[in-house]
Amino acid sequence: PPERTPAMLRIGSERIDIPAGMKNYTVSDSYELPVDVEVQAVQPHAHYRAREIKGVATLPDGSTRWLIYINDWDFRWQHVYRYVTPLQLPKGTTLSMRYTFDNSAGNVRNPHQPPRHVYWGQQSTDEMGDLWIQMLPRSDGDLETLNAAIRPKQTAEEIVGYEMMIRADPAKVSLRNDVAVMYSEVGRHDRAAAHFEAGLALQPASAAGRYNFGAAVLAGGKGGAAIEPGERAVQIPHACPRVCHT
């Protein structure tokens, strides 16, 4: 078995909203390490409008070390970059990213000419801005601490991204189910119930949808309101209600 297991951190923004013609749009994000780590690799991710990619580690003493710096980004450079010598970073180090985008006609890599208003999205013609960081903690205990701290941060950012995709495609039930599960993970049962209910309006014959809506209402402390969707779920023929994970 492996002696140590790495963790993956993603810092970045899913709030990307770039007006047409804007040349210097920036997003940034940061994360403070709760344990000592070795940074073994980084993977920058952005699409055609990104121009400059910066990743920096700021140590507790104020000194800085580059994680990665690409001053003329190309879409084809979405690779894993491994360090010859892993970076030794102590607890309290802040890992940060700052990406600059050019959504003007002057960007020859812009897929839309004339430029269009661009949002965060998973299609190549949308835009993204992430920096994945592979880290190796000193022990299994430190790995558990790190993963437990990373998960809420990344889930909160994923919720933002899914809400943006739902704004673009409000009739896609699978997106609503996915984001509802994420809201449940962070204790936002009211928002989970709202998305499950919206999915039910689109697919009223879904037993799983009714069960999930009732479960979210129940988790939010409204037990009486959960009875009706639960009863209706079990009345749907040939249905096996389940919590939706897609």
Side-chain angles (χ1 to χ4, degrees):
E3 293 181 1
R4 290 189 290 170
T5 303
M8 291 296 294
L9 167 70
R10 187 194 70 230
I11 53 176
S13 175
E14 297 187 12
R15 295 170 170 79
I16 294 174
D17 182 349
I18 316 176
M22 190 167 189
K23 293 189 64 174
N24 292 294
Y25 180 89
T26 61
V27 297
S28 60
D29 192 23
S30 63
Y31 179 77
E32 183 176 318
L33 292 172
V35 296
D36 297 345
V37 300
E38 296 175 10
V39 176
Q40 298 181 314
V42 293
Q43 181 181 7
H45 184 90
H47 296 168
Y48 293 103
R49 299 168 191 83
R51 305 304 299 138
E52 186 177 61
I53 301 294
K54 290 182 177 181
V56 177
T58 303
L59 280 66
D61 64 5
S63 62
T64 59
R65 301 183 69 179
W66 284 108
L67 298 172
I68 193 167
Y69 177 36
I70 299 175
N71 65 3
D72 188 15
W73 171 257
D74 190 297
F75 182 76
R76 297 168 294 181
W77 294 350
Q78 298 179 79
H79 294 291
V80 175
Y81 296 86
R82 296 197 172 277
Y83 299 107
V84 175
T85 303
L87 300 179
Q88 306 290 332
L89 299 178
K91 174 182 178 180
T93 296
T94 297
L95 307 176
S96 62
M97 58 78 69
R98 182 178 177 86
Y99 289 8
T100 302
F101 299 82
D102 180 355
N103 192 25
S104 72
N107 179 1
V108 296
R109 299 182 182 126
N110 195 329
H112 292 138
Q113 297 290 352
R116 302 177 188 175
H117 200 134
V118 178
Y119 300 96
W120 181 91
Q122 296 178 340
Q123 301 300 313
S124 295
T125 50
D126 301 323
E127 202 48 78
M128 299 183 80
D130 295 319
L131 181 61
W132 291 88
I133 305 170
Q134 185 186 54
M135 302 174 290
L136 192 63
R138 295 183 183 275
S139 66
D140 289 344
D142 283 354
L143 177 64
E144 291 179 7
T145 298
L146 184 57
N147 282 334
I150 287 173
R151 181 60 183 167
K153 171 183 171 52
Q154 297 192 159
T155 299
E157 197 62 36
E158 288 169 4
I159 286 172
V160 173
Y162 270 81
E163 290 283 17
M164 295 199 63
M165 288 192 289
I166 289 168
R167 182 172 66 178
D169 191 358
K172 193 166 185 179
V173 176
S174 62
L175 291 177
R176 292 190 178 275
N177 287 341
D178 287 346
V179 78
V181 171
M182 295 178 200
Y183 274 121
S184 295
E185 288 181 11
V186 298
R188 293 289 308 279
H189 302 294
D190 57 333
R191 294 297 300 149
H195 277 289
F196 281 136
E197 187 174 25
L200 269 179
L202 296 165
Q203 293 181 350
S206 170
R210 292 196 177 279
Y211 176 84
N212 291 338
F213 172 54
V217 171
L218 182 62
K222 300 177 181 178
I227 295 173
E228 187 273 340
E231 289 180 338
R232 293 192 64 181
V234 298
Q235 291 168 2
I236 297 174
H238 310 295
C240 180
R242 62 180 176 81
V243 174
C244 287
H245 292 275
T246 59

